[in-house]
Amino acid sequence: MKRISLSLLLTCLGLALIVYLGYHNLFSQAEPPYDDDQEGLSGQIVFKFSHVVAENTPKGQAAAKFAELVAQKSKGQIQIVVFPNGSLYSDIEEINALKDGQVQIIAPSTSKLGDLSPKWGVLDLPFAFENYEAMQSGIHGDIGQALLDSLQEDELIGLAHWSNGFKQITTNKGPIKEPADIAGQKLRIMPSEIIREQFHLLGAATVEESFNSTYNLIETGQVDGEENTISNIYSRKFYNVQKHLTISNHGYLGYAVMMDQKAWNQQTESTQQILLEAMEETTDWNDQNASKINEEQLELIKQKSDIQIYELTAAEKQQWAEKMAPLYEQFRETIGAALLEDLDKLQESYEEKP
Ligand code: LMR
C-alpha cells in the first residue's frame, strides 16, 4: 500500500513539474520583445468622453482633436475614449452620467444647462452676438468665464467653451422670411426657457425632445421644423425631411466642456496640467474649425438636396431682432444684471457701423 502511494506521489510531482515548465515556457515566449513605446502602458489612465452629435461636426472633431493632443502630451499614458452620437448617453442623461462617474467628460449644449443655473440663458438670447468675432469675445471673455465658474456650485469643473455656430431654422411650412411666417408652427427645441419663450412670442408651439429624436419627430410630422446649426442639420440629414431652410443666424449654439469635481480632484497635478493644456489648444483650434465646417456643410446641403434656402436680409434680421427684443427685459432678473451689462457692452463694441 505504502509502495503504491509513494509511486503515485512521485508521478504526481513529475506531472506537476512538466505542467509548470510548459506553462512558464509558454508565457516567456508570449512576452513581447522590449519596445520603449510601450513603457508605462500598464498605468494608463482612461477618460470616457460622451457626446450626442456626429463625428463630422465641430464638437465631434474637437473631441477627437482633444483626445489626440492628450495622447501626444502624455506619451500615450492618458487616453480619451470618445463616444459620439449619444451612443452611451443621450443629452437628457449625460449630466447625471457625469455626476455618477459613468463618464468623465461631457460637452452639453449650453442651452441645456438651465437646470444648473438660469444664468446660462444669456447665451440663448436672440441675436446676442453680432458675428463670430463677437461670439468668441463673449464666450472666452468675462461672460463665458462667469458661466464656467457657476458650475462649481454643482461640483462640476468647467473646462472650456467650444462654439458650434449660429442657429438657423428648418421647416416644412415655409418659406420663413418674416417673424409672422413662423406663427402656428410646431418646432422641436432644446430644453431652454428662453428658446421656449422666443418661439411662443412668435406664435409658434414647441416640443422639447432630445437631439437624437429630432429626425424622427420631423419625419413623422410630430413637428413642422426645428432650429439648429448647419453642421447639425447636415450631419443628421434634416435636409432630407425638411423643405425650407432659413439662414437667420438668430441665436448661438455652443458647448460647455466639463468634468465632475471629484473625478478632477482624483487626478495628479501633472494629469490636470496635460488636460488643461490640451483643452486650451483644442479650444483655439475649434474656434477656426467650427466656422469652416458650417460653411463647407452649407455648400454640401446645397449640392445634396432640393431644400429651399432663404437668407434673411439685414433689414429682415432687424425686424426679427426687434420682435424678440422683449426677451432681454423679461429675463433680466433670471439671468442677472451683471451678465446682461457685460453682454450690453459687448454688443455696443461690435455694433455694425453704418
Ligand atoms: C441640439 O440638441 O439640437 C444640440 O444641442 C445638439 C448638439 O449637441 O449640438
Side-chain angles (χ1 to χ4, degrees), residues 55 59 65 105 110 126 151 153 159 194 204 213 215 278 307:
E55 283 161 300
K59 181 161 57 177
K65 179 81 181 173
I105 309 174
T110 56
L151 291 172
E153 287 163 30
L159 296 171
I194 294 189
S213 63
Y215 186 96
I307 195 166

Side-chain angles (χ1 to χ4, degrees), residues 143-198:
I143 298 175
Q145 195 53 52
L147 293 171
L148 291 181
D149 290 348
S150 76
L151 291 172
Q152 285 167 15
E153 287 163 30
D154 287 276
E155 293 176 8
L156 297 165
I157 295 275
L159 296 171
H161 285 272
W162 287 350
S163 65
N164 178 327
F166 291 111
K167 288 180 291 185
Q168 323 298 348
I169 301 168
T170 64
T171 179
N172 281 326
K173 290 186 188 159
I176 305 286
K177 295 182 179 177
E178 297 175 7
D181 294 334
I182 211 159
Q185 301 210 19
K186 200 179 204 183
L187 306 168
R188 177 268 168 180
I189 59 164
M190 295 182 276
S192 148
E193 216 185 331
I194 294 189
I195 299 177
R196 190 187 314 139
E197 287 303 308
Q198 161 188 283

Side-chain angles (χ1 to χ4, degrees), residues 10 15 68 76 82 101-104 134 142 169 190 194 198 206 214-215 223 229 239 244 246 275 289 295 299 332 345:
L10 285 173
L15 278 173
E68 180 193 312
V82 183
Q102 306 298 326
V103 294
Q104 289 70 42
D142 292 346
I169 301 168
M190 295 182 276
I194 294 189
Q198 161 188 283
T206 53
T214 308
Y215 186 96
V223 297
T229 57
Y239 57 81
H244 301 274
T246 294
L275 295 177
N289 193 50
E295 272 167 36
E299 292 313 309
R332 174 164 293 277
K345 277 190 218 137

